[in-house]
Amino acid sequence: MELISSHHCFGGEQRRYRLHAETLHSDTTVSVYLPPAALSAESSVAALPALIWLSGLTCSDENAVQKAGAQRLASELGLALVMPDTSPRGDAVPSDPGGHWDFGHGAGFYLDAEQEPWHQHYRMHSYVVEELPARLSAALPLDPNRLGLAGHSMGGHGALVLGLRHPQRFRSVSAVAPICHPSACPWGQKAFTHFLGNSAEAQARWRAWDGVALLEDGHRREDCLLVDVGSADPFLEEQLRPSDLKAAAERCGQPLTLTVHEGYDHSYFFVASVIDTHLRHHARGLGLFNG
């Protein structure tokens, strides 16, 4: 990995790396916040837990770095933060044929595409679950067996889906304003049609990338999913559909804490307002403290 920037921050370092991702067949960037404990651990045998944060549509790895305000508490907790990009990028990577913002570059949807021309590059699921933890733990003092997963909007969808599919890989899961039921909303339907196909057979495979459908189909976590949404979010009912997630969790017995925050919207102002709750949720799940 090539270090392309580093900034001192709350006693730790906010770094940005460039690497060639084999699963994406492209170069990509990832931002990593190393708390003070990780910097001292680089010369010892210790490795720290990390929270992987998945960002939303149109974002890159830098949105959460600059807007979420997570570094202060992460420094206190001794929790590393990993923020990958939201999709593969580059001239060789196809994007939305119509040039729209809700598909293609910046909109990888954290799945493994099956359709041409997307299937070669759009493999964010395999990248986040397999390649990225292996690459980071080989280069930095991060423990690949103590990973949490969180995200915002499309990234919240990714956190729910990957967390339900891989409960042994990710020991804690949370989401802010997630796309809960992508098979039933315009953003998800567009992405799934391109990436997976739109035949009846293909639509059956959509369920493997849908948080609500995964719960309906028997995927469970023993720990509690933490989800926050804002009542003033303009995408709440049509695109996010948190009520569908709540109903599915209640039917199958999946522990879920879903909080609706009065007056909050979809922006990173909301993310910054709830980020401490999410960091403490993951710190508990990753064994940093019991409070």
Side-chain angles (χ1 to χ4, degrees), residues 232-244:
D233 192 319
F235 308 116
L236 188 66
E237 299 301 328
E238 181 182 26
Q239 302 282 14
L240 307 186
R241 304 179 70 93
S243 59
D244 294 358

Side-chain angles (χ1 to χ4, degrees), residues 28-161:
T28 189
T29 53
V30 57
S31 291
V32 179
Y33 178 69
L34 295 176
L39 299 179
S40 62
E42 285 184 322
S43 59
S44 71
V45 297
L48 294 182
L51 173 62
I52 299 178
W53 177 271
L54 306 178
S55 292
L57 291 167
T58 75
C59 292
S60 72
D61 57 298
E62 294 188 291
N63 290 75
V65 170
Q66 298 171 359
K67 297 180 180 180
Q71 292 94 338
R72 176 189 56 79
L73 184 56
S75 174
E76 296 175 11
L77 295 170
L79 179 64
L81 304 174
V82 175
M83 290 151 281
D85 203 349
T86 50
S87 78
R89 299 181 194 260
D91 294 340
V93 178
S95 192
D96 190 298
H100 299 128
W101 58 270
D102 56 354
F103 179 75
H105 293 182
F109 273 85
Y110 304 102
L111 50 70
D112 286 346
E114 300 175 4
Q115 297 268 101
E116 293 185 0
W118 323 105
H119 67 289
Q120 182 178 13
H121 298 285
Y122 286 86
R123 300 182 55 81
M124 290 296 294
H125 162 261
S126 291
Y127 173 65
V128 171
V129 173
E130 299 169 6
E131 182 175 2
L132 182 62
R135 299 283 293 272
L136 291 177
S137 62
L140 299 170
L142 304 181
D143 187 346
N145 297 313
R146 286 198 294 166
L147 296 177
L149 189 62
H152 171 238
S153 193
M154 178 188 68
H157 142 76
L160 293 174
V161 168

